[in-house]
Amino acid sequence: MNDSPGWATPGSPSDGEGAEGTQPPARPAGDQKWSAEQPPPGQWSSPGTGASDTPATPPQRPQQGAGGRSYAQTGDSRGYGTPYGGQNGTGGAGGGWGTWGPPPAAKPGVIPLRPLGLGEILDGAVTTMRTHWRSVLSISLAVAVLVQVFSVLVQKYSGDRLTIEPGSQARMEDFSDTSALLTLAAYLLQLLGGLLVTAMLTMIFSRAVLGRPSTVGGAWRDARGQLLRLAGLTLLIGFGAVTVFVLLILPGVLAGNLGLGLLGGLAAAVLVTWLWIRISLASPALMLEKATIRTALARSSKLVNGSWWRIFGITALTALITALVSAIIVYPLLAVSVALFGGGLEGLADGTALNSWGSLILTAIGSVIALTITMPIQSGVTVLLYIDQRIRREALDLELARAAGLENYGADATAPPTGG
C-alpha cells in the first residue's frame, strides 16, 4: 500500500471493483484472537459490581468477509452499535462489549481512525491549521493577497472611470468594456487561486490525518499532476449549475410570466443544491485517488449516497461558520474605512465611499485575513468528510492505520490504541 498522500484506493464494496480494478481495503476476516467459547448474551456487567466484573472469556470481535463490513451497514451512525455489542454498544441480545463500549480508536494524526462526528470533523480542520500553520496559512495567505491586490486595482480603476466622466457616453462605453474585462479577469484569478488552495491543502490535510508534517513544496509536488483535472472538474460543475438555471428559468422569461420564472428559479436552486452535495466529495476523490473527472464524480455520488442530509448539514454549518468569521473580520474594518476615508454617510449616499485608496486597502486587509482563515476550514471539512465516508463504507481506517505505521491494526482487538 502506498503511504503517500495518495493513499486512497478507488472502489467500494458495492462497486464490485474500483476505478482501477482493485478491491477496496477489507477488514480482517476471521480474527480468532478471542476464545471461540462465549458466554450467553446479556451476562455482561459494568466494572465494579462483584464477581461478574471479569468475564471468563473476552468478547469475540465480529468476523467479516473479504469485502469488509461497512460501518454504514451496522445501523449505528458512529460505526459501533451492532458489531461490537447489541444495540448501539449497550450489550443486549448481541452480546459484545456491553457498557464498556468499543475499544478506543487509534489517533496517529488530527482525527481518530473511526467514523467521525460533526465536532471531530470541525476540530480536525482547525487542529490541522494550528499544527501545520506554516504550510496551511502560507498557501492561503499567498493566494488571498494575490487575489485581493488584483481586486483592489480593478475596483479603483473601475470606480475612477465611473466617477470622472459620469455624463460622457464615450467614457461610459469605455468604462463598460474595460470594467467587464477586468472583472472577468478578477473572477478567473479567484478561480485559479481557489483551485490552487484546494489542491495543495487537500494534500496537507491527507498527511495530517497520518500525523505527518507537510511543506508547501511537498504539497505542490503532490498536487500539480491533478491541477488540470481539478480545473476541468470545477469548470464542469460551474457550467452545469449555470445550465440548470438557464434551462429552468428560460420558459418563464420567454413567456413573460414572472411567476413561472420564479418557480423555475426555485426549482433550479433546489436541483443545483441537491447535485452540489451529491458531487461535493469529487474534489478530494480526484486529488487523493489520482482519478479522472468522470471517476471522481462517480465516486462522490456513491460515497454520498444514503448520507445526503448529513453531508448537507455539515456543509451548510461550515458555510455559516465561515461566513460569520468573515463578517466579524471584514465588516468592522469596512465601517472604519468608510468613516476615515470614504466620507461617512455622504460617501455611502453618493456611492464614493469605497473609491478611495484608504477604503479599498483597509477593506482588502480584512478580506485577506478572512480568506486566510476560512479557506483552510472549508477545504479541511470537505477532505475530512470524504475520509469519514470512506471509513464508514470501505474500512479506510485500516488502510490509514497501516499508512501511519500502526502494525497489525485491526487484527488484534486487545492491542492498545496509539495516541496522536
Side-chain angles (χ1 to χ4, degrees):
M1 198 212 64
N2 187 2
D3 59 1
S4 69
W7 35 255
T9 303
S12 64
S14 61
D15 298 341
E17 65 177 17
E20 298 177 4
T22 59
Q23 292 291 339
R27 294 185 178 276
D31 184 359
Q32 299 297 337
K33 296 291 184 180
W34 299 114
S35 171
E37 297 181 4
Q38 302 296 315
Q43 294 189 3
W44 297 106
S45 59
S46 301
T49 57
S52 61
D53 294 348
T54 305
T57 55
Q60 184 178 15
R61 196 178 184 190
Q63 299 182 12
Q64 296 164 325
R69 184 174 183 179
S70 70
Y71 286 110
Q73 294 171 315
T74 67
D76 186 314
S77 61
R78 296 184 306 164
Y80 299 144
T82 306
Y84 290 102
Q87 291 295 324
N88 298 326
T90 59
W97 295 100
T99 55
W100 294 347
K107 188 178 179 183
V110 296
I111 59 170
L113 300 184
R114 56 169 171 76
L116 305 174
L118 168 62
E120 290 169 326
I121 291 175
L122 293 173
D123 180 71
V126 174
T127 300
T128 302
M129 289 178 57
R130 186 173 63 249
T131 305
H132 306 280
W133 63 270
R134 287 185 178 85
S135 301
V136 172
L137 298 185
S138 295
I139 294 171
S140 58
L141 177 61
V143 171
V145 168
L146 181 62
V147 169
Q148 288 303 313
V149 166
F150 192 79
S151 296
V152 165
L153 295 176
V154 169
Q155 293 178 54
K156 180 62 178 175
Y157 178 82
S158 301
D160 287 347
R161 292 290 295 250
L162 181 62
T163 303
I164 292 173
E165 300 287 345
S168 172
Q169 184 66 26
R171 285 290 186 180
M172 286 299 292
E173 290 176 354
D174 292 342
F175 163 77
S176 299
D177 295 340
T178 305
S179 177
L181 290 174
L182 289 175
T183 302
L184 178 61
Y187 281 129
L188 289 176
L189 183 60
Q190 292 178 17
L191 174 63
L192 293 175
L195 289 172
L196 187 61
V197 169
T198 299
M200 296 179 68
L201 290 185
T202 296
M203 298 305 174
I204 291 177
F205 275 96
S206 70
R207 285 188 171 273
V209 169
L210 302 178
R212 295 180 179 175
S214 298
T215 63
V216 175
W220 167 250
R221 287 191 298 271
D222 292 331
R224 63 186 178 186
Q226 291 291 95
L227 280 177
L228 289 180
R229 286 179 175 175
L230 182 61
L233 174 66
T234 304
L235 292 175
L236 179 61
I237 293 174
F239 178 77
V242 172
T243 301
V244 169
F245 272 98
V246 170
L247 291 178
L248 294 181
I249 294 176
L250 189 59
V253 174
L254 294 178
N257 189 320
L258 178 60
L260 181 60
L262 292 177
L263 182 61
L266 179 61
V270 172
L271 181 57
V272 167
T273 300
W274 182 82
L275 290 173
W276 176 261
I277 299 301
R278 192 79 178 180
I279 60 178
S280 61
L281 305 183
S283 173
L286 182 141
M287 296 302 301
L288 295 177
E289 298 181 22
K290 309 301 180 184
T292 62
I293 295 176
R294 181 177 179 180
T295 301
L297 291 172
R299 291 284 292 137
S300 177
S301 180
K302 290 175 181 177
L303 290 173
V304 173
N305 187 36
S307 302
W308 191 94
W309 283 107
R310 177 176 179 270
I311 294 175
F312 169 76
I314 294 175
T315 302
L317 180 60
T318 302
L320 178 61
I321 291 173
T322 53
L324 289 175
V325 171
S326 296
I328 291 172
I329 296 172
V330 173
Y331 286 154
L333 290 176
L334 177 63
V336 171
S337 68
V338 171
L340 295 181
F341 307 106
L345 296 178
E346 294 181 0
L348 289 175
D350 59 23
T352 61
L354 297 178
N355 286 347
S356 67
W357 280 111
S359 297
L360 291 173
I361 291 175
L362 195 57
T363 304
I365 291 174
S367 298
V368 167
I369 297 173
L371 287 173
T372 301
I373 296 173
T374 58
M375 284 192 295
I377 294 177
Q378 292 174 323
S379 297
V381 167
T382 301
V383 173
L384 295 180
L385 269 174
Y386 162 81
I387 293 173
D388 173 60
Q389 287 301 111
R390 290 205 62 190
I391 289 175
R392 292 171 183 269
R393 295 178 179 272
E394 302 172 4
L396 183 64
D397 51 329
L398 300 182
E399 287 295 302
L400 292 174
R402 296 182 188 118
L406 304 179
E407 297 295 335
N408 299 320
Y409 179 77
D412 187 354
T414 66
T418 302

